[in-house]
Amino acid sequence: MDSFIRSILNASRAKKRIITLCIDSLFIVLAFWLALVVRLDSLEPLKQAQNWVLLTLLTPVSLYAFISLGLYRAVLRYMNSQAIWAIVLGTVITTVSLVLLAFFMGVDIPRTMPFIFAWLCLLTVGGARVLVRALIGKMTTSKKESVIIYGAGSAGRQLATALGAGPEYFVSAFIDDDVTKHGSIIQGIPVVEFKGIYELINKRKASKVLLALPSETRARRKEILAQLEPLAIKVLSIPGMADVVEGKAKLSEISDVGVEDLLGRDPVTPKPDLMAANIASKVVMVTGAGGSIGSELCRQIIKQKPTKLILFEQSEFALYAIEKELCEYIINNNLEIELVPIMGSVQRINRIETVMMAFGVQTVYHAAAYKHVPLVEHNVVEGVRNNVFGTYYTAKAAVNAGVENFVLISTDKAVRPTNVMGATKRMAELVLQGLAQEQGSKHKTRFCMVRFGNVLGSSGSVVPLFRRQIKEGGPITLTHPDITRFFMTIPEAAQLVIQAGAMGKGGDVFVLDMGDPVKIKDLASKMVRLSGLSVKTDTNPHGDIEIKCTGLRPGEKLFEELLIGDNVGETIHERIMTANEVMLPLSELNVFIEALDIACHNFDHQAIRQLLLDAPTGFNPTDGICDLVWNAKKQLPLDSDEKVVSLKTS
């Protein structure tokens, strides 16, 4: 039977219409004779020729009416109220035609016969379509994956409609917190309370839960995810309403649950005056414009309508990608902003100073830096050159070019650093604090720095790594079971950086409120369980995904901090604080800078380390010197000096 139905379904559209016309003709004939036989309780009408003539004329009239009303243009599996009205109106026209034809032809039919005929037409022509639609629906849904939608609001209903028309999912139930909806049926789908999910899962009527709660707060979404986490079911989400409104996503798009929902921390609405203060109608420059933070800063900056935005980036492809994206945004929103893509390194002061002077830069956001802890440990000289001297040269160029505002993107790893990356970022802070002491007497540039923790989705973030490892079947690798980190979304971090920069008076160290620290192992476990899988442990040896600890990497801390001391002040923004940190006068700082420059030039890693220890950085390394080149050179035989290029020059 299924094969017969499928052969009809796979036929061409013209053949389907011919078959439907033939079947409807048969229904009209049957309805006519049944109406007469039932009314007269006799088969005599079949013997009367005039009845056959009447039926012969009635059938084409009826079919023409149905055709004119568009009944045969409607696709059965998507039949809606328009098709139903076409059947009703076509039946009325057919019945009226029957009465008129019988009257003018002088055919004697019972007065109640047309009413019986009309009901039989509705039951056969309409009922057949309902039956076929149900059969098709059963056949198609049998191959679809059964899912539950959490949220029976407008977003949930739109999602159910979209999924019903697609080939992948079949919605078996809605779950909603509104008790007034429990037990009701929406779009043919029952609404059940949360405890009903257990029965659906046990009966294998659901394999996934789709969160249709785009307008809910992250705190509420976190609560719901905590309820769903113990269940052996995969949890997916639809985009937030803000992304839908901005055109970044559609309600029908389904994706993995965002980690920001797991954190349960709602972003604070940015203050418009602070966002625009250093940007609106000004020439703005972003170094490291192609990076995770730099690119998001650029996206936030163009919304504040600067006159020019200078994209300064070392990577050709990264510069191309962000310029293309921003150009499209500017064109689509009819903005009058000049984009200037500049390739260059922050380690070349002449290049960056010339750029600043040529375009009259007024505000600089310095995001260019090497931030990956193990890589900087393995490439110490480049880390120092980029993070310390890159900041120093960019800041000096800003002073010489008369830049009004300079904002450094710092990190929580600059607090009591245990690695070279953190120590170099703390040195970069000291550079700006030293230059800030001369503000007013020797220059007018306002320097400030903003310190925050990890951002979700940035390059090198653990979240994309965990998703890939779960998709591949594991194991998930993390360095230590007790390791914790602060997390924030990239857009929120960029907005807070801009707002903090607007509050700077000179030499300020701003610290962003990152919320509570997150245990990375707990984060990994939640991601596994919300993927519908279980964590493989000693108590659960048959679990799906194993979490392996590989040991702390060089320079890696178990716990990150945002403040060196407890001396913290408030600002006008609830998520931004100020830290009072130790600083060096510029004259003393220059001694360190000069010595560090010589040590880098000579590839003297021992001297570099000692200088970082002597400076007021709080540097407390947990490992020895891990530079790959330095260690490789140490392993060379003493008599091989003539066969290799000396790394140390006079």
Side-chain angles (χ1 to χ4, degrees), residues 153-180:
S154 60
R157 295 193 299 271
Q158 290 179 50
L159 180 61
T161 302
L163 294 177
E168 297 178 348
Y169 300 111
F170 164 67
V171 182
S172 57
F174 284 113
I175 292 177
D176 202 277
D177 298 329
D178 187 354
V179 294
T180 60

Side-chain angles (χ1 to χ4, degrees), residues 238-356:
I238 63 173
M241 198 57 76
D243 292 332
V244 175
V245 172
E246 293 176 7
K248 297 179 181 178
K250 298 178 181 178
L251 275 175
S252 56
E253 293 178 357
I254 300 170
S255 60
D256 290 331
V257 173
V259 182
E260 57 270 22
D261 293 330
L262 296 177
L263 302 179
R265 185 170 166 273
D266 291 309
V268 175
T269 304
K271 299 180 184 295
D273 55 332
L274 292 177
M275 291 292 294
N278 292 340
I279 297 173
S281 302
K282 292 190 176 188
V283 180
V284 182
M285 179 176 182
V286 179
T287 67
S292 304
I293 298 297
S295 60
E296 184 59 35
L297 277 170
C298 293
R299 296 184 191 101
Q300 299 292 338
I301 287 168
I302 60 172
K303 293 178 182 178
Q304 304 305 319
K305 300 180 180 179
T307 55
K308 291 180 185 176
L309 177 56
I310 317 299
L311 310 174
F312 195 87
E313 173 59 54
Q314 185 173 237
S315 167
E316 180 188 25
F317 177 75
L319 182 61
Y320 161 78
I322 188 63
E323 184 206 11
K324 188 173 185 294
E325 179 188 334
L326 296 179
C327 277
E328 290 177 356
Y329 182 89
I330 291 171
I331 293 169
N332 294 336
N333 292 275
N334 297 316
L335 300 176
E336 295 183 0
I337 301 172
E338 183 183 350
L339 274 186
V340 185
I342 301 292
M343 283 198 297
S345 170
V346 292
Q347 298 179 41
R348 294 165 58 193
I349 188 171
N350 290 340
R351 172 67 167 169
I352 200 164
E353 185 176 322
T354 302
V355 171
M356 289 180 181

Side-chain angles (χ1 to χ4, degrees), residues 525-554:
S525 300
K526 286 181 179 180
M527 290 179 67
V528 170
R529 286 192 286 269
L530 291 172
S531 298
L533 305 170
S534 61
V535 179
K536 187 178 180 180
T537 61
D538 294 338
T539 57
N540 184 27
H542 303 293
D544 302 297
I545 304 291
E546 184 181 4
I547 298 176
K548 283 186 176 181
C549 295
T550 58
L552 290 173
R553 297 172 298 180

Side-chain angles (χ1 to χ4, degrees), residues 1-10 135 138-139 142:
M1 182 65 177
D2 282 356
S3 60
F4 175 71
I5 294 174
R6 292 186 190 280
S7 64
I8 295 176
L9 291 176
N10 294 329
L135 287 172
K138 187 176 180 181
M139 290 171 60
S142 63

